[in-house]
Structures are given as structure tokens and as C-alpha cells.
Amino acid sequence: QVSGGFTYRFTSSGPARHEAPPMAVRVPSWVECEEAEPFGPSGLRKEFDLGAETAVSMRLVWSCWVEEPVLEVFQEPTRLKYTAVFNSREEMVQWALKNRDRIRQRCRLLDNAFRHWSLGAAPADMAALALHTHLANTWWTRRKDGSDWFSVWEGSCYYHSTVDVEYNAAALYLALWPDLLGMLLDEWPEFEIDGEKALGGDGKGTGFLCHDMGADHVVGRQVYPHHMEVEENANYLLLLAAWAAFTGEVKQVKKKLPFCRRLAEFIVKSDTTGNGVPDRGVANTIDDASPALQYGRDQVYLAVKAQAALWALADLEQKCGAKDAQTERWRACASKGVKTVEEEGWLDDHYAVTLSRTTEGLTDPWTGEALPEGELKGWDDYSIYTANGLLYLFLGGMKTPRWKMNRIADDIENAARATMTNYGCRHTGTSDPIVWFSQNMWRDCVAAYLGVDMLSNIERYWDYQVTTGAAWGASLYYDTTEQNYLAFYPRGVTVFAMPMCAAGLGLNRLEGQLTLRPVRSTLRVPLLPLADWEKMRIPVLSVSRREGVAVADLTERDLVGDLTVTAVGVQLEPAGGRATGGPAQNSD
């Protein structure tokens, strides 16, 4: 406010990590304002009367427009998608001016869904920060044949759509926009590698997925230094199963079954001992952890994730009408692995990091060199990753192998105590004090389905974002504490799983089922996957105690459609006769 007038100046600049690739272009920006007059080269000005009874405002549209190609996709320069939606910047700005009120209404709809929930301010603030950070990493371009390309930078790493990162970030897609995950699921198969390159002759007829699609402004091949074969294969299968459960889509899944079977066969062949636990191709996403957790043989974390993936694929194949013996083979392999982990991995109050206790035959994937012979330090440690592979089975309301769920719940609680810091949990009990906030949020969400309420831990994670923002002038999401550097990182949108998991949501449109198993007896959360965004309606689940009984109410019940609703641990208020309720169901 300057002497009875509003004065705005706008500048455009961007951070530079290194020399910009040839495909990079400067992004010009403009500000449009209907009511103000230009001021200098980049300003707008409007006078007002302090004595006037009515308020004075300036309505601005800040727009960016790039006509040139910005991303190379398989050696083809591609332009941002909006250049195919609008013919010019002026047309885009006019659209924004015309639809301003509706845009604001839709923004308020989502904001209010988070503002009025019972989970508190920290997860709402985290969701806002994480969403905008994710958006800053997205690339949506149009190819010459008219098809779209969608991929997401891995923040400060600049890799495109890293599978293990999108495994966590997909919570956002499932909550708000499943079509984006569908696009990624269509694109990743273009980055399959022959399994023989990792397993030799044993890998014949198998395949594994690249870690990423490219880096910087070029898509077309993996750039990360080494593969994460078993993990990325399992991630893809679990993501596909969750997407199918949320969308009810079968046709697209059927087309992918041959590819999925090659991935699953690789997981099976990665087990050389016949115990159902992979011991080859086991380097994983936790690339700043101890050797035991990062690339140890017979990892419990990867074993559980592989078991979940094989089980989910068997379920998908049945939904697609497959009736051959292969489907049961996936279940048999998963069950064998479950038995091995339960018998050999349980250490009184937690699961081991690896079943293997020595460094014999273990090679560092970063250097290619064998580790010195001896005991594998940390093989018996506490770890926050044991149950990492379970969340999509829970979210998708899918059946599970016969894991001892009570043990898994104990493992989560005991590992949390052994690894907790002021800002969240370390990877393991004896590791360096590095915290990955997205993995902490993921663990908290899994715990909710097991009746362990750790959702308040997000206060710790948000405290770190506030601390870094105040101390470093940061403005985007940091996924790790300062011993590592994963900045403006997209994985923070893991927080979008939080309201779904607090509700214990299990959405399976393939089976026509909606299960609600809230972790709290006092709760209010939006069920975003059931929203009608066109009509701007979001169902809300509310839980309260009445005379000692937890009672749940679900608004906008018509949006549930033909789904059969089952409530577990609460009594669901009836709405038309389909809803059922009952006591909590626990399994061991």
C-alpha cells in the first residue's frame, strides 16, 4: 500500500543447478489485470480513496507460456500440453478470467476438506506444501502423434518418474486423479530390461523395470547408476493392483498381464535357495542406509513386498478371467516366503532386517566390489520398513497372505521406539540419524490398518519443514534431514494417504466393495476417492462415541453408488439398507 494506491512489481527467475540442457528454455511470465493500469516495465497500479465506503481490489492473472519444446521423449522434442489446449497465451488468459470464480470454488472445496477434518493443522499444511512441490516437478507434454506424455521429476535428483518414488507419491493420484497413475502404468513397460541381464540363464523369459525414465530434460533410458530389480517389479505390480481396485478397470489390466507375468517371474527366479525370499537383484530405494538394509540378501522388507506383489497379481489375474496354473503358482511362492519370514525372521519383538547374517557373496552395487567377509552388521536391527509393501493391499481392500498381523503391528511399534528422533524415525535402530519423512508417513499409514494410531507423528515431520523453512529460506518440501539432500522432492504427497488410512478405507470397485475401518473413535475425514469433482461434492466420514459405542456417519451417500459398504469396529448409520457394521475383526 503506497500513498493511497496499490503498486505491484513482478519478476521472473528460477534456480539453476548446473548449465541448462539444450532443451531448456526461459519461462516468460505476464500479469493481466482488468482494472489496473501498467506501471513501468513490470508493474500494475490502481488508486483508491481511503474515505470510500466500498472496498477496492485488483483481480490478477499471472500466466506463463512457452511455445518451444521443453522435453525430449525418446529423441522427440515435445511441447507442454497446454499449447495443444489453447492456441495462444491470450486465449489461455481469457479462459482464466472467464472461469476465475469456478477455479476459486474448486480450490476452496479441496482446502476446506483439509481445513475441516479432525487430523489437525500439521497434515493440512504438509499436504499444501507437498502438493505444490509435486506440481513443480510435473511434466505433461504432447507428442507428435497426439498422445500425451506425463512424468515427474524426482526433485533435486532430476530423474523422471522413479518407480520407487512414484510408489509413495501415487497416494496423491489415487486420492485425486487416478488417470495420472494410469498414464505412468502405460509408460513404464517401455523401460523393461531382459531379465537375463541380471539373472543370466535363470532370467530367460523374465524382465525387470528400470529405476527411472531419464533425467533433466531427456526421457528415454535409465540414468540412475544401478538397478533395483526386485523392488521396482514389486512396486509396479502393487501400483497396478491398487489402480485397478480404485478404478474398476479390467481391460487395461488384461493388456498388461504378459508384461506383469515377466516381472513376477523375475521375482520368483531371484530366489536361488527356494525359500521364497529374493536374494538377487535386491538393491533398493533406501540408498543412504546401511548395507544390510540397502542391498543385503534375503531382506525381510523386500520379501514382504514381493509376497504382496505376487499375491496381488494372482488376484488381478483371476479378476481378468485367467484360469491357468500360473496364478496359483504366484500364491504358492508368496505363501512359501511368508512361512520363511515368520519362522526365520521373527526375533522375539521385531523382524530382522535380513535373514542372511554374513557378507558372503555380497557386492556393493555402487562400486561393484565385494564386501569384506564377516558378519553383516545390522542384519538383526529394528527397521521401519518391514510392512512397507502392505499399504496398497489394504487401500485396495484386497485379500492378503497369512502374515501374522499381530506380529507386524508389534514390529511397527517396537521399531518406532528404537528409531525415533525429534523429527521422526531413522531407517534402523543403529543407523545414522537420517530421517525420510515420506517413509515415516507411509509406515504410519500402514500402522493405522493394524489398529496402531501413529498419525500424530506428522507433527514431528512438519516441525522439520518449518525449521528448514525458517533457517534456510526453503519454500518447498524436504524429504530428508540435512545429512542427506532430497530437496523440492515430490514424495511428500504421501500425506494424501493419511485421510484414507485414518478411515481404514478399502476401496475395491472390481469386487464392488467399500470397507471402512477407522483407527480412531473420534474422527472426521474426507473420502477423496469417492468425490464427484465435477459437481464439487466430497463424502465425509465422521466417527463419534455415543453411550460407549463408536458410531460412524457417511455424507453424500449416493456417491457410493452400487458399492456394498462394510464398517468394521464401528456402527455405521444406515442410509438405504446396504450398510452393515460390526465388532472389530482382528487376525493373527
Side-chain angles (χ1 to χ4, degrees):
Q1 184 174 322
V2 184
S3 301
F6 292 121
T7 302
Y8 289 86
R9 290 186 184 275
F10 297 87
T11 60
S12 177
S13 62
R17 164 173 167 257
H18 48 57
E19 283 293 322
M23 187 64 66
V25 295
R26 173 178 287 276
V27 180
S29 64
W30 296 267
V31 176
E32 299 276 335
C33 182
E34 294 177 310
E35 305 95 345
E37 64 182 43
F39 177 76
S42 60
L44 295 168
R45 178 169 58 196
K46 181 176 182 179
E47 295 183 357
F48 66 92
D49 182 358
L50 286 170
E53 295 182 0
T54 58
V56 177
S57 63
M58 294 176 68
R59 293 161 59 90
L60 309 175
V61 174
W62 184 16
S63 64
C64 297
W65 180 271
V66 178
E67 192 75 30
E68 301 90 339
V70 296
L71 182 66
E72 182 181 301
V73 179
F74 295 111
Q75 300 183 331
E76 174 193 331
T78 64
R79 299 192 300 170
L80 290 168
K81 179 180 172 66
Y82 63 70
T83 61
V85 177
F86 302 104
N87 292 318
S88 65
R89 180 184 69 85
E90 290 74 20
E91 184 177 313
M92 179 179 70
V93 169
Q94 287 305 311
W95 174 86
L97 290 169
K98 180 180 178 181
N99 293 278
R100 178 197 300 271
D101 291 340
R102 183 165 176 78
I103 293 170
R104 288 170 62 88
Q105 289 172 1
R106 294 169 76 88
C107 289
R108 281 197 295 268
L109 175 72
L110 187 60
D111 285 344
N112 288 336
F114 283 71
R115 184 177 294 118
H116 296 152
W117 65 10
S118 65
L119 298 178
D125 291 338
M126 183 74 85
L129 178 69
L131 176 60
H132 286 280
T133 302
H134 185 274
L135 289 173
N137 282 284
T138 56
W139 296 81
W140 195 338
T141 66
R142 180 65 67 90
R143 304 177 71 174
K144 290 180 180 178
D145 63 3
S147 62
D148 286 354
W149 179 268
F150 176 75
S151 56
V152 184
W153 259 355
E154 192 190 330
S156 51
C157 302
Y158 297 93
Y159 300 120
H160 277 269
S161 290
T162 299
V163 185
D164 49 85
V165 174
E166 293 299 296
Y167 173 78
N168 299 117
L172 170 68
Y173 308 138
L174 293 175
L176 300 182
W177 204 344
D179 286 357
L180 294 179
L181 177 56
M183 292 170 69
L184 292 173
L185 291 167
D186 287 343
E187 293 166 357
W188 275 318
E190 298 188 56
F191 298 86
E192 180 187 6
I193 296 178
D194 189 332
E196 290 190 76
K197 293 186 178 180
L199 303 179
D202 292 341
K204 186 176 182 180
T206 74
F208 65 89
L209 212 52
C210 286
H211 164 272
D212 58 76
M213 298 176 172
D216 295 314
H217 295 77
V218 180
V219 165
R221 65 177 181 83
Q222 176 176 318
V223 177
Y224 193 79
H226 66 79
H227 295 296
M228 302 177 184
E229 300 94 333
V230 170
E231 180 172 49
E232 306 301 30
N233 282 14
N235 287 339
Y236 183 91
L237 296 176
L238 288 168
L239 284 168
L240 180 65
W243 177 82
F246 268 57
T247 64
E249 177 60 60
V250 173
K251 287 184 179 179
Q252 292 302 315
V253 174
K254 281 185 177 180
K255 294 177 183 178
K256 294 178 173 63
L257 284 185
F259 168 68
C260 291
R261 286 190 162 191
R262 292 194 296 273
L263 300 185
E265 192 65 34
F266 183 96
I267 293 175
V268 173
K269 294 290 181 64
S270 67
D271 165 26
T272 65
T273 64
N275 65 355
V277 177
D279 54 83
R280 291 187 292 180
V282 293
N284 62 49
T285 185
I286 316 160
D287 56 10
D288 57 10
S290 65
L293 184 61
Q294 184 182 164
Y295 52 85
R297 298 189 315 278
D298 299 309
Q299 295 172 37
V300 171
Y301 154 57
L302 279 189
V304 174
K305 181 171 277 191
Q307 294 154 16
L310 293 175
W311 200 268
L313 177 58
D315 190 59
L316 271 184
E317 289 185 352
Q318 284 195 326
K319 296 294 189 301
C320 293
K323 298 180 180 180
D324 58 27
Q326 192 73 301
T327 297
E328 288 308 313
R329 182 165 173 263
W330 307 138
R331 288 202 178 101
C333 291
S335 297
K336 182 190 297 183
V338 171
K339 185 174 184 293
T340 298
V341 169
E342 296 294 358
E343 291 180 352
E344 301 179 23
W346 182 249
L347 305 176
D348 295 327
D349 68 342
H350 72 285
Y351 289 96
V353 172
T354 69
L355 304 181
S356 177
R357 304 185 179 194
T358 71
T359 61
E360 182 181 354
L362 197 59
T363 300
D364 186 333
W366 295 95
T367 65
E369 298 179 358
L371 267 63
E373 292 186 8
E375 183 180 24
L376 179 60
K377 184 178 179 181
W379 72 268
D380 58 348
D381 215 337
Y382 292 87
S383 164
I384 69 169
Y385 291 93
T386 302
N388 186 281
L390 304 186
L391 186 55
Y392 284 129
L393 296 185
F394 293 151
L395 279 170
M398 292 174 256
K399 299 179 179 64
T400 64
R402 296 183 64 82
W403 289 301
K404 292 184 181 296
M405 293 300 186
N406 288 346
R407 277 187 178 180
I408 293 177
D410 289 345
D411 174 87
I412 288 175
E413 290 190 281
N414 294 330
R417 281 193 288 270
T419 60
M420 187 62 74
T421 73
N422 288 340
Y423 294 119
C425 291
R426 308 186 305 272
H427 299 313
T428 60
T430 59
S431 65
D432 292 331
I434 297 175
V435 177
W436 283 22
F437 304 112
S438 59
Q439 299 292 14
N440 273 253
M441 288 187 277
W442 194 264
R443 182 274 318 275
D444 298 344
C445 287
V446 174
Y449 284 94
L450 300 174
V452 180
D453 188 354
M454 304 177 76
L455 298 178
S456 295
N457 281 335
I458 198 165
E459 300 281 351
R460 298 175 182 267
Y461 321 146
W462 179 246
D463 280 350
Y464 189 82
Q465 304 301 321
V466 173
T467 300
T468 54
W472 300 346
S475 58
L476 293 175
Y477 172 81
Y478 279 76
D479 199 38
T480 54
T481 46
E482 61 183 296
Q483 293 87 354
N484 196 354
Y485 183 74
L486 294 179
F488 58 94
Y489 209 68
R491 221 169 191 156
V493 292
T494 300
V495 70
F496 278 82
M498 192 169 168
M500 295 187 283
C501 299
L505 177 140
L507 175 59
N508 195 319
R509 296 187 188 277
L510 294 173
E511 296 186 353
Q513 296 286 337
L514 172 65
T515 302
L516 299 170
R517 190 191 301 257
V519 71
R520 294 177 177 174
S521 58
T522 301
L523 185 71
R524 176 184 169 85
V525 288
L527 300 186
L528 300 174
L530 299 176
D532 184 331
W533 299 107
E534 184 61 32
K535 295 181 179 179
M536 295 193 291
R537 297 170 61 204
I538 303 176
V540 174
L541 176 70
S542 298
V543 183
S544 59
R545 296 194 68 83
R546 301 179 192 172
E547 299 180 352
V549 177
V551 179
D553 179 59
L554 182 62
T555 67
E556 312 290 349
R557 193 73 66 90
D558 60 298
L559 296 182
V560 172
D562 295 331
L563 295 173
T564 297
V565 184
T566 302
V568 180
V570 296
Q571 292 183 2
L572 185 63
E573 294 282 17
R578 278 194 175 241
T580 61
Q585 299 174 5
N586 299 316
S587 63
D588 181 11

